[in-house]
Structure formats: structure tokens, C-alpha cells
Amino acid sequence: MTSLTLDLEPQPAPLLFEARALAGVEGHTFEASAVVSEPFEGELRVKGRDIMIRGATRPWTPRAAVRFRLDLPARAFNISEWTLEDDGATARGTAAIRYAEAPPVYVLTVSAWQADLAALAGRLPFSQLSDLKGQVEGEPVTLQGHWPELPMMRVTATLKAQRSDRKSVV
């Protein structure tokens, strides 16, 4: 992280505070805002500004939102809803982290995900994919494990091709 500006504003009950942040990470800018209420629940939103991935020809502008609740008696951090999106791709689901144990246990569910290949063309560093058209729709998947280990997973997706006058040679 190369820069961080943080504004924290206390709020009257039932809110605790509102926060706004602007961060610079490896030359990319991210904006974040959060609202947290008294039982330690709230919402966090993050937006990236024109991020260029090495090898890509067009910028990526990711947006993420998380609704969360800290359950102190259960020693758990619950995410009732999360979304990650860009023009042409979305993913959403739920998550939970139990920190009563060491290392913490996590469960991440991706309930739905999809991508429009034409809309993503140029944003990813794979020039071989630039001529692909169609929609990729993923099946739900749940990941479980102990932090910081990542689980092995299998993902299932369906490619729905768009009709085109163009012929492809494989």
C-alpha cells in the first residue's frame, strides 16, 4: 500500500460510525465506504478505479459490497451477502469465519456467478480469449477450510455461445 486516507465519523445510536477510505495499492486507486451499527453489523463497499492488468488492453473497474455481522458470543464473523462485479461479470454469495479456534475456520459460498466474454475482452491479459463471445454461467460452490490454507475445489460452468456470422477454425 502506497497511500491511505481514512475518515472515521462517529454516529448517534443505533449507528456506531461511518468510514470512508481512499487507498493506493501498487499504482491502483480503491475507494471504500462503510457503515457500522451498534451490534457490530454493517455494510462495506469498495470500488477500484481504472485498474490496468499487465497485458490487458482495457481497464478493469471492480466493485464489491459486503453485508456483515460480528457475533461476539459465537466468536464468528458472518457475511450474509457479498457481491463482486464489473461490467460483464458478477459473483455473489455468503461467508462465515469462526475465530473461536486457531487457526480460524472459514466457509465461503458462491451462490451464483456469470461472465459476458465479449464485455471482458481486453480487460484480461489473455489475447487468445479476445474473439470469444457468449456467456459463462457457474454452478454454486462452497469452499471450507482453515485460514490461511486454501481448499482444493472443482468449479462447474456452462458456456452459452452467441450466434455470429463469423466462422471459427479450431
Side-chain angles (χ1 to χ4, degrees):
M1 187 174 310
T2 55
S3 66
L4 176 66
T5 303
L6 178 64
D7 294 321
L8 188 61
E9 187 176 320
Q11 297 291 315
L15 294 179
L16 287 176
F17 61 87
E18 290 184 16
R20 286 171 296 289
L22 188 62
V25 180
E26 295 183 7
H28 304 295
T29 302
F30 294 89
E31 298 174 52
S33 63
V35 176
V36 178
S37 64
E38 228 168 271
F40 292 108
E41 63 183 43
E43 181 173 295
L44 171 66
R45 295 186 172 276
V46 179
K47 179 181 178 183
R49 290 188 190 165
D50 297 331
I51 297 170
M52 284 299 291
I53 297 173
R54 185 176 317 169
T57 58
R58 293 183 11 209
W60 185 49
T61 307
R63 297 171 303 279
V66 175
R67 290 184 188 272
F68 62 87
R69 182 172 188 271
L70 182 61
D71 185 342
L72 292 173
R75 299 182 74 180
F77 184 74
N78 297 307
I79 297 173
S80 61
E81 177 185 1
W82 63 263
T83 60
L84 176 62
E85 58 186 29
D86 186 354
D87 297 332
T90 61
R92 66 180 174 273
T94 61
I97 300 169
R98 286 194 333 261
Y99 57 88
E101 304 167 18
V105 175
Y106 65 86
V107 176
L108 172 70
T109 299
V110 180
S111 58
W113 62 276
Q114 67 84 25
D116 179 338
L117 296 175
L120 292 177
R123 291 191 179 132
L124 301 174
F126 310 112
S127 60
Q128 304 88 340
L129 303 178
S130 63
D131 288 337
L132 290 179
K133 307 267 187 284
Q135 296 281 331
V136 176
E137 294 182 0
E139 297 291 325
V141 62
T142 297
L143 309 174
Q144 300 180 51
H146 292 283
W147 184 261
E149 297 172 11
L150 296 177
M152 296 299 291
M153 61 184 243
R154 183 174 298 194
V155 176
T156 304
T158 303
L159 175 61
K160 296 182 178 182
Q162 294 177 337
R163 297 206 179 258
S164 171
D165 294 336
R166 221 171 147 187
K167 293 184 180 179
S168 298
V169 177
V170 179

